[in-house]
Amino acid sequence: MNDWAQQAAELTITRLLPRLEPLLKDDAHREGFMRRLHMHLPRALWHLHRIYGDQFDFFYHLEQLLHTAASYHGERREALKQLDAQREADPLWFKREDAIGAVCYVDLFAGDLRRLHDKIDYFKSLKIRYLHLMPLFMTPEGNSDGGYAISDFRQVHPDLGTMDDLRELTDALRAENISVVLDFVFNHTSDEHIWARKALEGDPHYKRFFYMFPDRTIPDQYELNLREIFPEQAPGCFTYRAEVDQWVWTTFNNFQWDLNYGNPDVFNAMLGEMLFLANQGVEVLRLDAVAFIWKQMGTPCENLPQVHDIIRGLNAMVRIAAPAMLFKSEAIVHPDDVASYIDWDEAPISYNPTMMALLWEALATRQVGLLRHSMTKRYELPPDSAWVNYVRVHDDIGWSFADEDAAELGINGFDHRQFLNQFYTGRFDGSFASGLPFNYNPINRDMRISGMCASLAGLERAEESGDAEQIDHAIKRVILLYSVIIAAGGIPLIYLGDEIAMLNDYSYRDDPVKADDSRWVHRPRFDWERAAGRHDTATAQGRVFTAIRDLIDARRAHPAFSDHSTLFFDTQNESVLGFVRNHRAMILCNFSEQPQKLRRDVLAAYWNIPTATRDLLTGEAFKIPNLFTLAPYDFLWLAD
Ligand code: GLC
Ligand code: GLC
């Protein structure tokens, strides 16, 4: 940023003040708004100028943005303005040891928004602090990519309730100190969104909201460098629409139209949608498919530098109008690119897809080398940001580790992915997993994996065979993976259903709308009957639920678990993952079904072992012997 942006921002504010003031009314928080305007507008202006500066009406657009920010701030409810003040005073709440997250579908978990109220006690029993509700807005009938094709960002899907219900729910959750997280599906709209419908009518203003081409010439040139995201169900990246005789850019499904952020009207409109959601009480926006929002001929159109300018511009505007709201990036890309979005001024929180994929890799190989090596290189983030660590979500598992990291250990990334795909689809000899292939691409032989955590960890097969030891191992694998994400720095995210060891649901195959998308195998209706047995440790769900609950309690009880430092180290045992938290706790996890030996002197090299050590999970004193054994799939949390 430079003096130019500073001066231009000050001039703009002075010039616009008479028009902004009426919007802020007799707002008690007016001063806060003005303070933040002076603080963040130069930053917004700087980024916006980089992408829109060559447009003759640049300052006109800037004024519109300020108008948008001031009007939404003016409409923000008192309770949310108080929340703004609270979050400004304590911005890093998401880094504390009590930051426990969960994610669910409203319909599959509870039926609708109103009935979700009845489940608040369930969230409280797991000490959830951060709740991601899967997309709940208006979508086309039939296939809507699980809600990710949005027809109206301001209307809740009628099956789930109304905007009033959503507001009431966010209020009720906030009263329990649970922050609501929603998706911001901003790379595309559905083809039934009003903007798309107007474009289909030929309205030139709205045609510019999307990418539309009269023939295949330009699409063909772009496609030379584009990756196909859904090669099986939606091949190609463009869709022909006879209504207008045009080809529309559709990175994902053919009914998901990519928005054109080269058009500043789109930026402004989407800022409005964002602030509208903030005013419903949403505290975290998950920036869906963030990597794809800028296109440039001759590039893969992923992770381009302009994406960062857009997100930083949006971030600055949101800080002005609704500072309680945070961005989380969903970038399932090369680890270097994942990291590129993470910053207080961009997206302070981010999924950790590399750790997720490598946890499964370590379970398959019984070796933690690649996980340890990658995390040693890549875990650390800027101090005011955090990972969202997860084992499963609604999407497939892509093996998005860095080939360079693998090569450094003598592993060939391509071959290793082939192995992992074989393993998790159960085709590899000795595999315990029941996963399904997702979007096999015969050209590059890329493939991803669908499946519920417990099924991928072996519970489905083990229960079919009735082998007690296999069942025991499968349950331990689920708990082991959750122990890592709960102990690591950041927000652990529970994919609800995992905590009661739910298995794959194959019924999607009978539904023509879902049958070609295997991700539905891991999107089951929450099984409340199974959940009823969650306190009975004779059942799989009882063992997993109580273990996860105890891990959460142990994490919340010790300051070693705030997100300060997570240092991975070499335990000198290839099957045991080790990391030290905040220099105060040591975590050891055995990724194999064999007992593993560990040496105290090795551990002592990474942790200044306190005189009195405690096992945080039993609460008992644990004196670390010179040589000791970690049982199959067992783990230890040791601290002072
Ligand atoms: C995100 C969602 C995924 C969806 C895609 C397109 O990656 O997680 O489910 O298919 O975006 O919106
Ligand atoms: C979305 C899709 C997922 C894909 C990813 C690629 O997240 O849902 O399947 O792997 O995009 O970036």
Side-chain angles (χ1 to χ4, degrees), residues 227 229-230 252 292 330 332-333 395-396 438 448 519:
R227 179 162 74 107
I229 305 304
F230 298 145
F252 294 90
F292 298 89
E330 189 249 352
I332 315 301
V333 289
D395 276 331
D396 46 287
F438 181 68
R448 289 105 81 186
R519 289 176 297 174

Side-chain angles (χ1 to χ4, degrees), residues 288-577:
D288 179 64
V290 60
F292 298 89
I293 66 165
W294 193 270
K295 331 283 186 195
Q296 191 175 307
M297 183 67 84
T299 75
C301 300
E302 286 185 49
N303 309 301
L304 292 173
Q306 291 85 346
V307 176
H308 299 293
D309 286 314
I310 305 246
I311 307 305
R312 285 169 180 257
L314 287 168
N315 173 307
M317 295 309 298
V318 167
R319 288 271 155 79
I320 295 168
M325 196 161 78
L326 288 173
F327 291 170
K328 163 168 83 158
S329 65
E330 189 249 352
I332 315 301
V333 289
H334 185 285
D336 291 341
D337 294 318
V338 174
S340 73
Y341 297 98
I342 308 173
D343 190 273
W344 179 250
D345 288 337
E346 195 164 340
I349 44 192
S350 164
Y351 283 102
N352 191 350
T354 317
M355 182 155 104
M356 182 278 292
L358 291 177
L359 284 170
W360 290 105
E361 186 268 348
L363 266 194
T365 58
R366 280 78 164 171
Q367 301 208 324
V368 300
L370 186 52
L371 173 61
R372 176 188 67 228
H373 180 60
S374 300
M375 291 304 109
T376 305
K377 281 171 75 173
R378 303 179 182 279
Y379 203 86
E380 196 176 332
L381 293 179
D384 41 14
S385 53
W387 290 116
V388 169
N389 291 311
Y390 63 112
V391 171
R392 287 300 292 120
V393 282
H394 69 288
D395 276 331
D396 46 287
I397 301 176
W399 307 110
S400 57
F401 58 82
D403 279 7
E404 319 78 274
D405 296 357
E408 281 154 12
L409 303 184
I411 299 171
N412 175 303
F414 178 84
D415 294 346
H416 204 48
R417 288 189 184 89
Q418 300 297 316
F419 156 72
L420 291 167
N421 283 328
Q422 294 292 311
F423 187 92
Y424 279 106
T425 49
R427 296 170 192 163
F428 189 83
D429 215 16
S431 162
F432 47 72
S434 319
L436 296 180
F438 181 68
N439 273 287
Y440 176 64
N441 184 335
I443 297 168
N444 56 19
R445 295 173 59 201
D446 184 50
M447 192 177 105
R448 289 105 81 186
I449 296 292
S450 294
M452 285 297 284
C453 177
S455 290
L456 295 174
L459 190 59
E460 194 173 317
R461 284 185 167 215
E463 283 186 347
E464 275 161 21
S465 73
D467 181 324
E469 191 185 37
Q470 287 304 320
I471 293 176
D472 180 56
H473 283 170
I475 292 170
K476 284 185 168 149
R477 289 186 197 106
V478 174
I479 300 170
L480 178 76
L481 294 186
Y482 270 94
S483 81
V484 177
I485 66 159
I486 293 170
I491 305 173
L493 183 68
I494 304 170
Y495 185 54
L496 289 172
D498 282 359
E499 79 287 9
I500 54 164
M502 282 185 68
L503 300 177
N504 285 350
D505 174 4
Y506 298 96
S507 65
Y508 78 99
R509 287 175 170 159
D510 306 325
D511 180 343
V513 164
K514 297 176 177 164
D516 68 354
D517 189 333
S518 70
R519 289 176 297 174
W520 287 102
V521 83
H522 55 250
R523 299 171 182 175
R525 184 165 296 282
F526 192 84
D527 187 345
W528 287 101
E529 217 168 287
R530 190 177 176 94
R534 67 188 181 275
H535 301 295
D536 174 3
T537 51
T539 63
Q541 65 268 39
R543 280 181 65 192
V544 173
F545 185 89
T546 50
I548 289 182
R549 190 202 52 204
D550 292 349
L551 287 165
I552 290 171
D553 286 340
R555 169 181 158 123
R556 287 165 43 91
H558 204 289
F561 295 101
S562 67
D563 185 14
H564 175 54
S565 79
T566 303
L567 298 175
F568 291 83
F569 68 94
D570 186 352
T571 61
Q572 306 269 313
N573 179 320
E574 273 309 296
S575 295
V576 179
L577 182 72

